[in-house]
């Protein structure tokens, strides 16, 4: 790799690099077939002649190898033969002190960088690995550049550490790739990357921004238990098969705009947001979900997912309640003290209301009225919010903001009946209305508040309560007869109160009936 010497300093000596690359590719290409050479030359962006030059350069390379070996190992007497190109390229536990430039290199046989330490920048841009490649537990202290690199066999980065930027933009993984338990401490770039087989990022940690924009996953993609501590970009990504984000954590921005999910998508137990200064509003706008997607037990800490323009499968599942059950907390202690949906949010209320309406529509199609009504209540809640309760309201949100008089019906709907769901609230309001009217009537009839008029006989409290009750249920005709005569004899203020009781009781009775219907309707 460094037959003509290593790179020195920060600046790359391109002439030196080209000499090293030509020598390496001539040696490596001797074992490849004509078809493999053509494919490798294309992916490495080199002239195929570099891979066919072994016969012409072999003597020169062997002589150079012997001279360099003696120079670098003066204490060794015998120079070993040049390694065979078919053997394992074993650089396990190698300490790379200088900048490593392998742009355009072709690795014909299996290469192992297990436990290797790259102390300076490691460049593999446009390199081609024809056989399995192992970077298990490798450490990249500075930038690791794998732009447009092609891996034609399995690749393992298991437990590797990228202390600086990791660039895999437009890379191609023809076989399976494992980034399980990898730590990315700085930016991780996988834009336009193609994963032809399974891509495994299980329990990977992205400490800075992670970008997979326009990447293609042709087989399953697993990000289960992965942690994205800053922005995660999956815009316009194509998931041809299953996409697994179970138990993953998105601390800040989770961007899936225009992504396409052709297989099953799993966001079960995924956590969006961490109550940091930067709220996490998952963006699934314009996404296409062709198969069922699971958002069961997903934690939306800061806001409701944006599904504007998205096409959701009819069997998409959501957890339609605020708090985890004791059994769920017992199985997962991290759920303790958390809620599946935020009580308060800085999100644009217009966007939140539309998202709740989208979810409600999906659950209604599934015949889940109880779950659908949960999101209906959240939808009505956002409809009654003033803009000042939501910081950062967009211009579109401000233009759609309702005045207080427009929001008042929603507020009353919530206060009096929890948007048609609570049986207790309208009953309590009816009880208060009945007690207040009964007390007023009893005060008059018992002459404790005003003197009884001539000819009026004081009646017990039961009569006052009965009169108040009859006002609440006029359809039953309780106000006819003696109770009606008593009401006719009362002062105008009490007659107005009686009429107000009747008027106010009607919406409360409607809300009560609405809640009873919701609770006991056929499922």
């Amino acid at each position: 790799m460094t037959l003509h010497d290593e790179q020195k300093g920060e600046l790359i000596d391109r002439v030196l690099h080209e000499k090293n690359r030509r020598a390496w590719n001539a040696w490596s290409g001797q074992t490849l077939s004509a078809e493999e050479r053509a494919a490798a030359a294309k992916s490495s962006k080199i002239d195929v002649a570099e891979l066919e030059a072994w016969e012409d350069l072999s003597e020169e390379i062997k002589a150079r190898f012997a001279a360099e070996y003696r120079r670098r190992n003066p204490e060794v007497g015998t120079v070993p033969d040049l390694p065979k190109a078919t053997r394992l390229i074993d650089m396990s536990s190698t300490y790379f002190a200088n900048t490593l430039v392998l742009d355009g290199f072709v690795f014909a046989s299996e290469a192992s960088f297990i436990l290797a330490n790259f102390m300076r920048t490691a460049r593999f841009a446009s390199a081609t690995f024809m056989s399995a490649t192992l970077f298990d537990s490798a450490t990249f202290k500075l930038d690791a550049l794998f732009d447009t690199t092609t891996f034609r066999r399995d690749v393992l980065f298991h437990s590797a550490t990228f202390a600086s930027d990791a660039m895999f933009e437009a890379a191609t993984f023809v076989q399976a790739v494992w980034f399980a338990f990898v730590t990315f401490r700085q930016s991780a770039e996988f834009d336009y990357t193609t994963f032809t087989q399974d891509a495994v990022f299980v329990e990977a940690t992205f400490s800075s921004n992670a970008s997979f924009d326009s990447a293609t996953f042709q087989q399953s993609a697993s990000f289960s238990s992965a942690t994205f501590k800053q922005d995660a970009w999956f815009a316009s990504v194509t998931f041809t098969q299953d996409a697994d984000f179970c138990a993953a954590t998105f601390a800040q921005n989770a961007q899936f705009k225009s992504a396409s999910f052709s297989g099953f998508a799993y966001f079960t137990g995924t956590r969006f947001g961490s109550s940091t200064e930067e709220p996490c509003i998952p963006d699934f706008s314009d996404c296409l979900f062709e198969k069922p997607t699971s958002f069961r037990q997903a934690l939306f800490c800061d806001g409701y997912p944006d599904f504007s323009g998205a096409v959701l499968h009819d069997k998409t599942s959501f957890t339609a309640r605020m708090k985890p059950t004791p059994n769920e907390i017992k199985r997962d202690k991290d759920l303790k003290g958390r809620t599946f949906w935020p009580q308060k949010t800085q999100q644009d209320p217009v966007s939140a209301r539309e998202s709740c309406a989208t979810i409600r529509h999906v659950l209604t199609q599934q015949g889940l009225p109880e779950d659908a009504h949960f999101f209906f209540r959240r939808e009505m809640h956002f409809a009654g919010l003033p803009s000042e309760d939501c910081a950062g309201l967009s211009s579109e949100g401000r233009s759609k903001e309702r005045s207080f008089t427009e929001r008042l019906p929603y507020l009353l709907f919530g206060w009096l009946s929890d948007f048609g769901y609570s049986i207790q609230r309208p009953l309590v309001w009816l009880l208060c209305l009945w007690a207040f009217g009964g007390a007023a009537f009893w005060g008059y009839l018992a002459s404790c508040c005003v003197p009884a008029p001539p000819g009026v006989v004081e009646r017990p409290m039961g009569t006052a309560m009965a009169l108040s009750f009859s006002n609440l249920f006029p359809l039953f005709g309780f106000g006819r007869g003696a109770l009606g005569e008593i009401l006719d004899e009362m002062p105008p203020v009490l007659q107005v109160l009686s009429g107000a009781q009747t008027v106010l009781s009607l919406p409360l009775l409607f809300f009560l009936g609405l809640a009873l219907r919701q609770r006991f309707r056929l499922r």
Side-chain angles (χ1 to χ4, degrees), residues 304-488:
Y304 291 75
D306 183 1
F307 289 113
S308 58
V311 178
L312 295 175
H313 192 273
D314 292 344
K315 297 299 181 181
T316 302
S317 58
F318 297 89
T319 298
R321 45 193 163 84
M322 277 291 181
K323 297 182 179 180
T325 64
N327 288 335
E328 290 172 337
I329 295 175
K330 187 176 181 180
R331 289 193 299 267
D332 186 357
K333 294 182 180 179
D334 289 340
L335 293 177
K336 186 175 182 180
R338 303 192 183 280
T339 58
F340 294 122
W341 304 94
Q343 296 282 1
K344 295 183 179 180
T345 175
Q346 299 181 24
Q347 186 178 8
D348 178 353
V350 176
S351 175
R353 185 169 71 246
E354 292 175 351
S355 296
C356 291
T358 300
I359 298 173
R360 173 179 57 81
H361 176 70
V362 171
L363 296 177
T364 300
Q365 289 182 319
Q366 297 178 22
L368 300 172
E370 193 78 16
D371 292 351
H373 200 276
F374 171 83
F375 290 99
F376 171 76
R377 298 195 297 275
R378 304 308 298 162
E379 182 184 351
M380 293 296 99
H381 166 75
F382 286 114
L385 276 182
S387 59
E388 56 267 20
D389 283 356
C390 295
L393 188 62
S394 65
S395 58
E396 180 183 2
R398 287 192 295 270
S399 66
K400 296 181 180 179
E401 182 59 31
R402 293 182 172 90
S403 64
F404 176 76
T405 55
E406 291 175 315
R407 292 186 290 106
L408 183 59
Y410 297 98
L411 297 175
L412 292 175
F413 192 20
W415 294 337
L416 297 178
S417 68
D418 192 18
F419 306 109
Y421 185 76
S422 175
I423 296 175
Q424 180 181 1
R425 289 191 188 184
L427 279 177
V428 169
W429 281 106
L430 284 170
L431 181 62
C432 293
L433 195 60
W434 171 65
F436 179 78
F441 297 143
W442 175 76
Y444 173 78
L445 295 176
S447 301
C448 62
C449 296
V450 294
V456 176
V457 179
E458 294 185 4
R459 290 169 175 81
M461 181 182 293
T463 303
M465 294 293 105
L467 181 58
S468 180
F469 185 84
S470 69
N471 291 334
L472 299 181
F473 301 95
L475 297 178
F476 295 103
F478 296 137
R480 302 188 185 96
L483 292 177
E485 295 177 1
I486 296 174
L487 182 62
D488 293 338

Side-chain angles (χ1 to χ4, degrees), residues 15 53 140 148 179 221 227 284 336 341 358 372 392 410 414 510:
V15 175
F140 297 86
T148 66
F179 282 92
T227 300
F284 292 95
K336 186 175 182 180
W341 304 94
T358 300
Y410 297 98
F510 171 77

